[in-house]
Amino acid sequence: GIIGETKRAMEAVLPRNRANVAKHPRHNLVLISCSSKALPILFPQHGPGRKHSRQIQLASWQSTIAFVHAEELIRGLIHSDGCRFVARQPRNGKVYRYSRYCFSNKSRDIMRIFCEHLDLLAVNWTLTDPEQAQVARRESVELLDRVVGPKR
């Protein structure tokens, strides 16, 4: 589902270009690619070097779109660099299980963007370290379950 949705979104934004899907020859992943001269305009953050070693700042037009579509931004970020899992917490001889979300990224700017948009959705989150945010409160996990949906 994520692959098809990504391909359709790329082709909707770049209707004159075709998105290609290819399975990686050695690893369990899929590469989705699209070539266009418009990509540097759509993604002005792209540049040489690793993203965590350069500034990642949304352009004002991107911020406006991300504000209006905060749910979609969070969904995409979790699908790319996050996960939902069941934590097991032993206490007094019992093991309690509860769902939580985790998002990791080495870029502090991307972490900031992620957390700012969680705030817009009133999702309670904590930084477990500078490169990882977690959502553990039941109400917030339930909200993200509705926003993110299952990874298919």
Side-chain angles (χ1 to χ4, degrees):
I2 296 170
I3 295 166
E5 185 178 343
T6 302
K7 183 179 187 294
R8 286 188 298 278
M10 291 171 78
E11 290 175 343
V13 172
L14 300 162
R16 294 184 178 157
N17 303 84
R18 185 176 180 160
N20 300 300
V21 177
K23 290 187 177 190
H24 192 279
R26 291 186 312 263
H27 303 291
N28 185 24
L29 61 96
V30 174
L31 302 169
I32 306 170
S33 62
C34 184
S35 297
S36 173
K37 291 180 182 179
L39 287 172
I41 297 165
L42 294 172
F43 300 102
Q45 301 79 9
H46 182 69
R50 297 172 183 242
K51 66 181 181 258
H52 66 272
S53 62
R54 66 179 192 278
Q55 183 180 17
I56 303 292
Q57 185 72 32
L58 294 178
S60 60
W61 65 269
Q62 289 173 312
S63 292
T64 302
I65 293 169
F67 178 81
V68 172
H69 298 281
E71 290 184 356
E72 289 88 346
L73 177 70
I74 292 298
R75 183 171 187 264
L77 288 171
I78 289 175
H79 280 172
S80 65
D81 292 322
C83 67
R84 182 188 190 277
F85 65 98
V86 177
R88 290 164 178 77
Q89 185 71 39
R91 181 174 287 141
N92 300 329
K94 290 184 179 180
V95 178
Y96 295 91
R97 292 173 176 80
Y98 56 96
S99 300
R100 62 170 45 187
Y101 280 86
C102 179
F103 177 79
S104 300
N105 201 293
K106 287 185 178 182
S107 168
R108 298 217 177 170
D109 291 333
I110 293 172
M111 289 299 300
R112 177 185 44 76
I113 291 166
F114 178 76
C115 294
E116 286 174 353
H117 286 79
L118 286 178
D119 289 342
L120 288 175
L121 300 177
V123 172
N124 187 286
W125 56 272
T126 57
L127 282 182
T128 54
D129 67 50
E131 297 176 3
Q132 187 176 86
Q134 290 200 18
V135 175
R137 290 209 177 158
R138 183 174 310 166
E139 323 74 62
S140 292
V141 170
E142 288 171 355
L143 194 154
L144 283 184
D145 283 345
R146 289 189 300 276
V147 167
V148 176
K151 276 190 172 183
R152 309 173 253 118

